[in-house]
Amino acid sequence: MSRPAAPTTLSAPAAPGERLVAIDVLRGVALLGILLVNMLAFSGPFGGNVVALSYWQGGADLAVEWAIMVFAEGAFYTMFSFLFGLGFGLQLSRAEARGENATPRFRRRLLVLLGFGLVHLLLIWFGDILTHYALIGLLLLAFRNALPRTLWRWALGILVLSTVIYLALGPLAAQQLAATDPAGLVQLYRDGNGAQILGERLELGFSIILSTPFLLPSLLWLFLLGLAAGKLTLFENLAAHAGLLRRARAIALPVALVCKAPFGWLLLARPGSGFTLALSTGLGGPALGIAYLTSLALLLSDPTWLARLRPLAAAGRMALSNYLAQSLVATLFFFGYGLGFYGRLGPATTILFTVGLFALQVVVSNLWLARFRFGPAEWLWRGLTYGRAQPWRRP
């Protein structure tokens, strides 16, 4: 998140950091996709209608919600998780090149990230992912010396375990989601005051922390895939690895279609299938995310497309700041201690809010990084990791 500006090609040798701008572009795209999904929960009841589109009654609202759940749900957290593991791999390779041990610094980074996650989870919004990343990310240290082939095998084995867990718990999850009371959520988040919402958030937050072991397989295998890609220096030269990217897409895309298509159809025709929900979330979403990731990576191997999408890199370099800002802005806009639009604006309207907010973040991120080395949260993260304030302004 603290790399300098990148050149317009990845096919020719470049300075370390400059040739990795594609990673920041991918992170920016993932940030937009995560906001698309999160906005459904920011803006209205998203518990019961995961399995049955019941709260929003307008045709346009139902169509937009259906599209997000089928084409975005589970896909973009996959991209973000892969890039998290990739970042660890890059840190390892850079430390080894300098003859340093990256383990202590990475551990400190995760502990600081855990602090960010706890503040976000307990004080801002229950949909936090940073806490899980920090806790589960510590397990990456056990794989720091593994070969890419070993990492692939571990990732495949953990993916099988993750899928089995999703399929086993899918019916139970469907029952719990279907039993969610939309009116109760509206009463709390739209009409409740700050103290009531905070109390609910604290109670829910601790249960989310305790759920980390159940999420461990679904995140760890993606972390390991990213770590393997980092060890292979896949993003050092995307054009040279185009064949590997195409093969990965050829595997992921059919799996995504097989898992997502029944979910999308049953969501409209016969809602309430816990099996299809689990299949979509546990396997279809990750497969679709890998298909998106590899397709975008192939696109970014073309210097022309890299130049076109380069503005997104600034948002990706400030991913932590932008992720936290999204939660702050959305909760203040929708919750009762802010403007109180929760449950009033359907997905057909809030998707415009999503696109507008992210576009603003892209503009602000580019303006900010023209003057500063890091985003504000990244600067604090880096300073706490190193134990001293980091130079902030650009010369």
Side-chain angles (χ1 to χ4, degrees):
M1 295 184 184
S2 58
R3 293 187 289 275
T8 56
T9 179
L10 294 177
S11 59
E18 291 185 348
R19 57 193 170 192
L20 302 178
V21 65
I23 296 175
D24 289 325
V25 173
L26 290 170
R27 192 179 289 114
V29 173
L31 194 66
L32 170 60
I34 288 172
L35 180 59
L36 276 171
V37 177
N38 285 348
M39 190 59 69
L40 295 178
F42 281 134
S43 60
F46 187 53
N49 59 3
V50 170
V51 205
L53 298 173
S54 57
Y55 183 78
W56 305 108
Q57 301 302 315
D61 288 330
L62 293 177
V64 171
E65 186 174 40
W66 179 88
I68 292 174
M69 291 161 59
V70 174
F71 295 106
E73 175 73 22
F76 291 100
Y77 94 85
T78 295
M79 292 178 60
F80 222 80
S81 302
F82 173 90
L83 295 171
F84 181 86
L86 176 66
F88 177 52
L90 294 176
Q91 291 177 43
L92 283 178
S93 62
R94 291 168 181 169
E96 290 173 357
R98 296 191 299 264
E100 299 176 357
N101 181 8
T103 299
R105 184 179 302 162
F106 184 73
R107 188 181 292 116
R108 290 196 300 271
R109 281 178 61 85
L110 289 182
L111 291 176
V112 176
L113 183 64
L114 177 61
F116 277 109
L118 291 174
V119 170
H120 181 237
L121 172 63
L122 300 176
L123 300 181
I124 301 175
W125 189 52
F126 65 84
D128 173 71
I129 194 64
L130 303 177
T131 303
H132 297 308
Y133 272 35
L135 293 173
I136 297 172
L138 290 169
L139 296 178
L140 280 175
L141 295 172
F143 297 91
R144 62 187 180 277
N145 297 321
L147 296 174
R149 181 175 297 179
T150 303
L151 293 171
W152 290 338
R153 291 171 178 169
W154 272 97
L156 179 60
I158 297 173
L159 169 60
V160 172
L161 174 62
S162 172
T163 305
V164 169
I165 291 175
Y166 268 110
L167 294 178
L169 298 180
L172 177 61
Q175 293 175 6
Q176 293 177 338
L177 292 170
T180 303
D181 177 20
L185 292 175
V186 172
Q187 183 178 10
L188 173 64
Y189 288 110
R190 186 177 70 195
D191 304 324
N193 56 39
Q196 292 171 324
I197 294 175
L198 177 61
E200 188 270 349
R201 188 178 293 131
L202 291 173
E203 180 180 351
L204 186 59
F206 285 111
S207 66
I208 290 174
I209 295 172
L210 294 176
S211 72
T212 301
F214 297 99
L215 289 175
L216 189 154
S218 63
L219 291 178
L220 183 58
W221 77 273
L222 292 168
F223 291 173
L224 294 178
L225 276 185
L227 177 58
K231 286 178 174 286
L232 288 172
T233 64
L234 191 150
F235 285 85
E236 299 283 326
N237 191 331
L238 286 173
H241 294 90
L244 176 60
L245 292 169
R246 291 192 182 96
R247 288 194 295 272
R249 183 176 62 181
I251 296 172
L253 189 56
V255 174
L257 292 175
V258 168
C259 296
K260 281 287 189 178
F263 172 69
W265 179 78
L266 286 174
L267 195 62
L268 297 176
R270 189 167 55 85
S273 172
F275 178 80
T276 55
L277 171 64
L279 202 62
S280 171
T281 305
L283 195 56
L288 188 60
I290 292 174
Y292 288 160
L293 177 74
T294 51
S295 297
L296 283 167
L298 287 167
L299 196 65
L300 292 169
S301 66
D302 181 345
T304 301
W305 276 104
L306 182 64
R308 290 172 179 170
L309 297 176
R310 185 171 175 175
L312 297 177
R317 285 175 58 195
M318 291 177 53
L320 180 59
S321 296
N322 285 323
Y323 175 74
L324 296 173
Q326 288 171 0
S327 295
L328 282 170
V329 171
T331 52
L332 287 174
F333 186 83
F334 290 105
F335 288 5
Y337 55 74
L339 298 181
F341 280 100
Y342 186 90
R344 300 181 190 274
L345 304 178
T349 303
T350 57
I351 194 172
L352 302 177
F353 182 87
T354 299
V355 174
L357 174 58
F358 182 73
L360 179 63
Q361 287 189 315
V362 171
V363 172
V364 171
S365 297
N366 278 277
L367 293 175
W368 181 277
L369 292 178
R371 299 184 60 189
F372 300 99
R373 298 176 185 269
F374 319 104
E378 287 76 14
W379 176 81
L380 181 59
W381 188 11
R382 189 178 179 88
L384 291 173
T385 299
Y386 283 87
R388 60 182 183 275
Q390 300 294 298
W392 196 354
R393 288 185 176 273
R394 292 189 178 278

